Amino acid sequence: MKKNIILLSAVLFSTVINAQNKGLVDNSASPYTKLKSVGLQDVNWTGGFWKEQLNVENQETLPYMWDLYHDDDISHAYANFEIAAGNRKGTFKGPSFHDGDFYKIFEGMAATYAVTKDPKLDKQMDEAIALFQKVQRKDGYLHTPVLIDERWGTLGPEEVKKQLGFEKYNMGHLMTAACVHYRATGKTNFLNIAKGVADFLYDFYKKASPDLARNAICPSHYMGIVEMYRTTKNPKYLELANNLIDIRGTTNDGTDDNQDRIPFRQQTTAMGHAVRANYLYAGVADLYAETGEKKLLDNLESIWEDVAYRKMYITGACGALYDGVSPDGTSYDPTVVQKIHQAYGRPFQLPNATAHTETCANIGNVLWNWRMLQLTADAKYADVVELALYNSVLSGINLEGNKFCYNNPLNVSVDLPFKQRWGNEREGYIALSNCCAPNVTRTIAEVSNYAYSLTKEGLYVNLYGSNNLDTNTEEGAKIQSRQQTNYPWDGAISITMDKAPKESYAIFLRIPGWSNGTTIMVNNKVVEASLVSGTYFKLERKWKKGDVISLNIPMPVELMQANPLVEETRNQVAVKRGPLVYCLESDGVSKEASINEVVLDINSDFKTANYEKNDRNLIAITAQGFLNTNSWDKKLYQPLHNHKEKVSLKLIPYFAWGNGSGKEMNVWFLR
């Protein structure tokens, strides 16, 4: 018996060691995924858009965030760990999700280290891990608000004691960060801490009543515990992941705000708090990848259609309402009607100036759609990943990489007669809700892992950008390629094959859903085929060193309209080019005027123009418009006047708004 246990332990340890070079999501052994991740270190940006963004990340954002979270006077996050460890005396300060914020920064550092092998990052991470080890309780528990109280009897803000105190959220981000760190470094020091946390959760959920188990707001631990199962192959973690779904929504006091009013298997539409919802959907997708329970995927697909076709902004943003009501308009019963923060809202309820669209919700949309893509290999999910990344995720950070947005409105107007809860200017630190800044930090560091996927048939190209790929097939054959492009500014893409399996091998090229008229050539010979937008095109052959695949994806300026049921954008248009949504700031109008007075001439001679902003190379769109200069002082309605003054307009990418002198901004235009 003892010999068998030793052999089993050796197998488990060997499995973990072999897993270290996998991606953000290690689905290499997941039986119900069609696409598999490439390794964290397998893609290196070499130029163009994402290389510029990554330079900002490495040179500015990561150092800035590390220093910020070590500054006791501002964030107090690292200080909380020191106090919990007994290194110093004090009280817990900051929001109850502060631990998770730091783990997200750590995860971004680990993903960056996977590519750069920067020894400074390695040293900083080891320093933090040593502190985590000292903080962790013997039973595996790690949550500084409680541990500070236990050590010093000096718990800080009372709200951290409340039932929904982000305890499991913090643990979820710890587990995810530990798995990424392990794959990036091969070290088990952080993974061992995560095992303690996962074991604690397993024991907790085995014993806890459904009411006590509800202490699980914003369920990042669903993703975290499945990733721990994938990394360690410990079957009890998969058992726990199933239990998390089974227990959810079984109490009498569940809320739509936490997606636990009803069990998940009864949920077919997006409801409640958008961040918590998207994290839940991503975690359920991870669980389906391991179990294949059809009901889980059926519900995810139904919910996805509700979001993509009725509740998502043109920028890929989610969570329209600062405060919504659920269910809306169906009951007067106060025990049924619930106030929902950052709510998905009703179908087609998409306000612009008051759009909440928290950056974390938009990142959650990426996490969820990325997993749906891996499950199904359906390009529609890659379209949403790309849309959100380029627009509503990157809008959450300034061009210089050190100021951040909590919410991402589609209209900013100085004439609004009220002050919104969250401002419309990026900040270096968003007091009490700085969760988005660390989330953007890790997401940018990890974009390279979304670029490619693998199957037994071939290589999937999900995102375009100048990079080198160096990976292996499931059978161990080498794949090396070089992609060169100025995407998303230009649709000309070149992929040079340096190494590929000797036998026939397929390259699956994503034909974006927004595109029309894409052409493909191999070694300057046109591929005669019908290319369908919103699909992957299979290009199969025996590849030779130096073979060149050339894509040309036309990028004309497109005027977009919304479903007429979206009342706020009826008879208006938005401007889009390729995957990028454009906007107009007040300093982009040739005459000083309110942004709300601008009418876009839809017959404009739309032209593109290169420009530089804060050391970033961008492309603007020039157009013509009119000013509807009626005075609205003390008027709610007035007769329509046809006199309109001509003006010139300079539109910029939505993600770049707020980096200049413009005080106002708009995405949707009168026409």
Side-chain angles (χ1 to χ4, degrees), residues 3-73:
K3 183 178 180 181
N4 290 338
I5 293 174
I6 293 173
L7 286 174
L8 177 59
S9 299
V11 170
L12 289 174
F13 180 76
S14 174
T15 303
V16 170
I17 290 300
N18 291 335
Q20 75 178 64
N21 289 327
K22 301 303 180 182
L24 297 171
V25 174
D26 178 12
N27 56 13
S28 56
S30 301
Y32 298 98
T33 58
K34 293 185 178 180
L35 305 184
K36 309 296 183 181
S37 295
V38 299
L40 280 171
Q41 73 292 328
D42 290 356
V43 180
N44 184 29
W45 299 114
T46 57
F49 186 92
W50 286 113
K51 177 62 173 177
E52 288 185 6
Q53 190 68 55
L54 205 61
N55 287 342
V56 173
E57 168 87 358
N58 295 345
Q59 296 165 19
E60 181 64 35
T61 308
L62 275 175
Y64 173 80
M65 294 301 291
W66 177 263
D67 292 343
L68 178 71
Y69 274 71
H70 282 72
D71 188 333
D72 299 1
D73 295 330

Side-chain angles (χ1 to χ4, degrees), residues 606-668:
F606 294 97
K607 294 182 179 179
T608 58
N610 296 317
Y611 77 105
E612 187 176 299
K613 189 72 176 180
N614 298 355
D615 296 323
R616 297 291 297 277
N617 298 308
L618 309 172
I619 288 183
I621 295 173
T622 60
Q624 294 75 49
F626 309 96
L627 292 183
N628 188 348
T629 56
N630 295 331
S631 171
W632 287 98
D633 183 42
K634 296 183 179 179
K635 295 177 183 176
L636 185 57
Y637 308 100
Q638 65 175 309
L640 177 66
H641 299 288
N642 290 323
H643 175 70
K644 295 176 182 177
E645 181 180 353
K646 291 184 179 181
V647 288
S648 299
L649 308 176
K650 177 185 176 182
L651 283 68
I652 64 170
Y654 172 75
F655 75 82
W657 79 270
N659 284 274
S661 59
K663 298 298 183 184
E664 297 186 310
M665 180 273 294
N666 203 23
V667 169
W668 289 95

